[in-house]
Amino acid sequence: MTGSHQRPDPRIVAPFGSWASPIDVELLAGTSVGLAEPRADADVVCWLETRSAQAGRRTLLRHGVDGATRELTPAPFNVRNRVHEYGGGSYAVRGDVIIASSAADGRLWRLDPDGAADPVALTPEGAWRYGDLWFDAGRDRLLAVRETHPEDPKRVDLVRNELVAIALDGTDGEGRVLVTGPDFVAGARPSPDGSRLAWIEWDHPAMPWDATRLRVAEVLADGSLGAARTILGGPDISVVQPAWSAAGVLHAISDETSWWNLYAFDGPDGVDGRPRNVAPMDAELGEPMWELGAATYAFLADGSILASARAEGLEELIRIDPDGTVRRLETAFSESYGIAAASHGAVAIVGSAREPRSLARIDRDGEVTGVLARSLSVLIDPGYLPEPEPIAFPTSGGATARALWFPPTNPAFRGPDGERPPLIVISHGGPTSSASGVLSLDRAFFTSRGFGVVDVDYRGSTGYGRPYRDALNGQWGIVDVDDCVAAARFLVDRGEVDPQRLVIRGGSAGGYTTLAALAFKPDVFAAGISHFGIADLELIHKDGHKFESRYDEGLLAPWTAEGRETFRDRSPIHHLGRMRAPILLFQGLDDKVVPPSQLDTMEEAFTERGLPFVAFRFEGEGHGFRRSETRETAYRAEIGFLARVLGFTPAGDDGIEPMEIKGLG
């Protein structure tokens, strides 16, 4: 018998949180770009890039048949729209005709396909916003959702959302109205022969993931619409993403089976027949319509359909062949979105735990055949990038919640024997969003320094079917908080993390969950970090924008005398006296979703009660920070804050000192 010799661990022993990492603040703040809205027209591919180094400006790029990539909107042009405040569908391309929305004035502009000439205005100045742009090729016009705003920004009841047609020669001015009356409209898509138009509409108090209607109408000779019919959807059914195949078959995604599945109107009577569930499965082929123009499926040239399917926190690419066979494709990426048909396959934004999001050409088998753009130009040693572990755990009411767990990951360091790492609990926004396992510098910034991170898909998240998504209705501020607490306790019980160093962090609706957890579960978390979080639910209801002006009633209670008590009871601002943990607060002063006045109120209350907090306000930032200098300041602040609260010294290379926190002994 021979003895075994165990090699000594070469890693440096250092307290969790203090590990040196190549994923530094400068890398995090300024080197990555956001990729969005890929569009393809034969061999020509366009997309948007968000550049934090240019104050978060979005620019449009075009990859032509000559293999060259050209920027069509040099600074200061910012391709963005604020329909529903979140925008989407900010440009359209057909051949050499490219129309884009400018964030500066809300107008539509015609762009030069080579980026050589200046943009030419298509729509006049006015109180209009345009989104979800789509060409009606047969009539040489553009279809759009037009949002008209009154002079008084507080009169959200006077905001009008309509479908309009805009002549490409500019003769229609601000647009000719095709559909008006519903509270919201989206997704105007003409049939290939131009004889019919399909679109989505819905009314308050529903959100588009609650109840929508798929409508179809004949297009008359003068371009107006005939009588419209509802052919799918209705109360308690969400229909999204209408699209026509090349053969003229209308498709749409509906959740009538409790999962967003794809349906086709391919019966003998066309759109008058009962739609067929093309690929029945317990998976989501759609997503919440926060932004307009989303595309999670595309028709390929051979008649098959490429689609993204999400279930149990994981995503896969599937192909639905013309004979109905569903094939789950083995791919090198774990997530894909923005799927658009192109020559010899499709283009999509794809990524994995070790590969950053990239705009890629993919064939019908999901193989990447070329990369057109990367969100990250710097190579990151994969040893610093954590692999996600999907976890399920018991929570309140006998339910099961889900999350993705990311352990501390750094090939050069390990923690002291017997010490467990601190945990950052991420409460995502939406709240209908979901955790993602794709490479995130934001997450790796923490895990590479010795933090564990758990991204919680609390009840209300997407990717687990309609009942899971609806479980948050009437329970916001309760079950989301319970699930974040349950995730932390699950990892504590598993021996993964230190129960005395649990931190909760979130933005927007996730910021609300963060503040609510600190107020309603004050003994669990050692600290909280809120990015533009909601503190006063009554104020949000009174001072919100049209798209979300009734959303909170579904999540909380109807806006009645009795219901207002629920709003007040669930508002952290009225329970600050229960808070004990130090809080770090960030707020953009141009935020149109969460009023900056909420931070003023919290700051006054924290100061009055002697609660430890630090607050940062950023000029020129809205609901989500886009500027590199803002992001750098925020990440430095987070490490300095956590160092002070959790008791570690940041790595010397970071140049960050523990933060002084008023009220913290």
Side-chain angles (χ1 to χ4, degrees):
M1 174 180 265
T2 58
S4 62
H5 177 71
Q6 185 174 359
R7 293 182 179 179
D9 192 331
R11 293 178 296 173
I12 300 169
V13 177
F16 292 106
S18 69
W19 301 351
S21 169
I23 305 172
D24 57 24
V25 172
E26 289 77 11
L27 174 65
L28 201 63
T31 59
S32 63
V33 298
L35 302 174
E37 298 191 26
R39 303 282 186 267
D41 184 41
D43 285 322
V44 175
V45 180
C46 295
W47 67 94
L48 297 179
E49 286 189 2
T50 303
R51 297 175 176 173
S52 57
Q54 297 180 16
R57 184 178 75 92
R58 261 187 173 179
T59 189
L60 178 60
L61 292 105
R62 183 176 189 257
H63 185 84
V65 293
D66 59 357
T69 298
R70 297 176 177 87
E71 184 175 2
L72 304 188
T73 49
F77 201 106
N78 185 2
V79 184
R80 194 183 298 273
N81 75 78
R82 286 179 49 205
V83 175
H84 300 170
E85 294 301 334
Y86 298 102
S90 295
Y91 77 98
V93 56
R94 189 194 73 209
D96 286 341
V97 181
I98 305 169
I99 309 296
S101 168
S102 167
D105 54 20
R107 301 169 73 184
L108 297 180
W109 295 77
R110 188 163 183 159
L111 307 179
D112 180 75
D114 295 319
D118 291 335
V120 176
L122 178 63
T123 57
E125 295 181 351
W128 302 293
R129 304 172 183 178
Y130 300 89
D132 212 347
L133 308 184
W134 199 267
F135 282 112
D136 184 357
R139 292 177 174 77
D140 205 32
R141 63 183 183 176
L142 184 75
L143 304 175
V145 176
R146 187 185 71 188
E147 193 171 78
T148 307
H149 285 254
E151 290 186 9
D152 183 354
K154 294 185 178 297
R155 292 299 306 274
V156 297
D157 57 309
L158 299 180
V159 174
R160 293 198 317 276
N161 294 75
E162 300 165 308
L163 287 183
V164 299
I166 303 163
L168 295 180
D169 61 7
T171 55
D172 280 341
E174 69 271 17
R176 175 188 183 185
V177 176
L178 298 180
V179 178
T180 189
D183 288 329
F184 301 97
V185 287
R189 301 293 184 264
S191 61
D193 64 3
S195 66
R196 292 171 171 174
L197 183 70
W199 70 92
I200 299 294
E201 62 184 40
W202 69 100
D203 297 302
H204 280 316
M207 297 299 287
W209 46 87
D210 295 326
T212 61
R213 304 178 294 276
L214 175 59
R215 304 274 279 172
V216 171
E218 301 291 330
V219 182
L220 305 180
D222 65 353
S224 63
L225 300 183
R229 295 165 292 156
T230 296
I231 60 172
L232 191 62
D236 301 320
I237 296 175
S238 169
V239 182
V240 295
Q241 294 187 45
W244 301 80
S245 70
V249 177
L250 178 61
H251 292 64
I253 293 174
S254 169
D255 70 353
E256 63 183 64
T257 67
S258 295
W259 296 90
W260 269 315
N261 281 191
L262 183 63
Y263 290 77
F265 289 85
D266 54 6
D269 297 323
V271 296
D272 296 320
R274 175 66 185 166
R276 173 178 61 91
N277 190 336
V278 174
M281 62 180 67
D282 289 351
E284 307 280 30
L285 274 65
E287 60 184 25
M289 193 165 48
W290 282 100
E291 293 188 2
L292 298 167
T296 55
Y297 70 97
F299 304 104
L300 302 185
D302 65 358
S304 62
I305 299 171
L306 206 60
S308 177
R310 184 176 182 84
E312 296 302 319
L314 300 175
E315 190 173 288
E316 61 184 355
L317 196 66
I318 65 171
R319 188 182 75 235
I320 307 168
D321 290 333
D323 64 1
T325 302
V326 178
R327 302 181 187 276
R328 288 166 168 80
L329 306 180
E330 296 293 333
T331 67
F333 46 87
S334 59
E335 291 187 17
S336 59
Y337 64 98
I339 304 174
S343 295
H344 311 296
V347 294
I349 298 172
V350 302
S352 68
R354 297 293 175 88
E355 292 291 333
R357 288 184 172 89
S358 300
L359 176 62
R361 293 186 185 273
I362 53 179
D363 64 19
R364 67 189 301 272
D365 294 318
E367 294 292 331
V368 173
T369 59
V371 175
L372 301 178
R374 299 182 186 275
S375 61
L376 186 64
S377 59
V378 179
L379 293 177
I380 304 293
D381 183 338
Y384 292 93
L385 303 174
E387 287 281 355
E389 177 195 348
I391 58 174
F393 46 90
T395 187
S396 60
T400 298
R402 281 87 167 184
L404 294 180
W405 157 241
F406 302 86
T409 306
N410 187 314
F413 288 87
R414 67 178 179 89
D417 292 339
E419 181 180 338
R420 287 186 282 178
L423 174 68
I424 297 177
V425 177
I426 303 294
S427 54
H428 63 64
T432 60
S433 186
S434 58
S436 169
V438 171
L439 189 157
S440 162
L441 288 185
D442 175 90
R443 182 170 55 235
F445 178 74
F446 294 104
T447 55
S448 63
R449 283 167 171 74
F451 292 89
V453 173
V454 62
D455 201 340
V456 183
D457 271 342
Y458 49 79
R459 283 168 284 179
S461 302
T462 297
Y464 305 91
R466 175 99 188 213
Y468 194 83
R469 193 169 77 241
D470 285 349
L472 192 64
N473 292 345
Q475 299 296 309
W476 196 29
I478 298 176
V479 301
D480 49 325
V481 171
D482 288 346
D483 293 354
C484 286
V485 170
R489 288 177 171 161
F490 175 79
L491 292 169
V492 167
D493 292 343
R494 243 176 47 164
E496 302 278 7
V497 297
D498 184 347
Q500 303 304 313
R501 294 190 292 172
L502 307 177
V503 178
I504 186 166
R505 176 181 185 257
S508 189
Y512 165 70
T513 300
T514 294
L515 295 170
L518 298 177
F520 305 137
K521 303 284 186 178
D523 297 326
V524 177
F525 296 103
I529 301 173
S530 169
H531 291 248
F532 36 88
I534 302 164
D536 189 338
L537 297 168
E538 295 173 282
L539 179 61
I540 286 290
H541 185 85
K542 296 174 182 177
D543 199 24
H545 55 98
K546 181 186 177 182
F547 180 63
E548 292 184 88
S549 61
R550 301 286 299 279
Y551 184 26
D552 49 13
E553 294 186 59
L555 294 171
L556 294 160
W559 188 248
T560 61
E562 182 179 355
R564 291 178 193 181
E565 288 300 312
T566 299
F567 276 74
R568 184 176 181 83
D569 289 345
R570 305 262 186 92
S571 294
I573 198 73
H574 301 304
H575 303 278
L576 300 180
R578 301 175 60 180
M579 292 187 179
R580 301 175 187 173
I583 305 172
L584 178 60
L585 303 163
F586 298 106
Q587 180 68 48
L589 294 181
D590 291 344
D591 197 330
K592 306 302 181 184
V593 178
V594 176
S597 58
Q598 296 218 5
L599 181 58
D600 301 335
T601 303
M602 281 192 288
E603 190 169 30
E604 292 174 8
F606 289 152
T607 301
E608 180 181 329
R609 290 168 172 78
L611 294 173
F613 78 97
V614 179
F616 285 82
R617 295 172 173 82
F618 298 109
E619 295 278 358
E621 293 285 12
H623 198 66
F625 302 150
R626 299 189 175 99
R627 301 182 178 187
S628 57
E629 56 268 31
T630 301
R631 291 161 56 82
E632 183 172 338
T633 297
Y635 283 112
R636 287 186 180 277
E638 291 199 49
I639 288 296
F641 173 80
L642 293 172
R644 176 68 178 87
V645 173
L646 303 181
F648 65 86
T649 301
D653 292 345
D654 283 333
I656 301 173
E657 298 293 332
M659 178 184 291
E660 292 297 324
I661 302 175
K662 184 186 299 183
L664 186 63

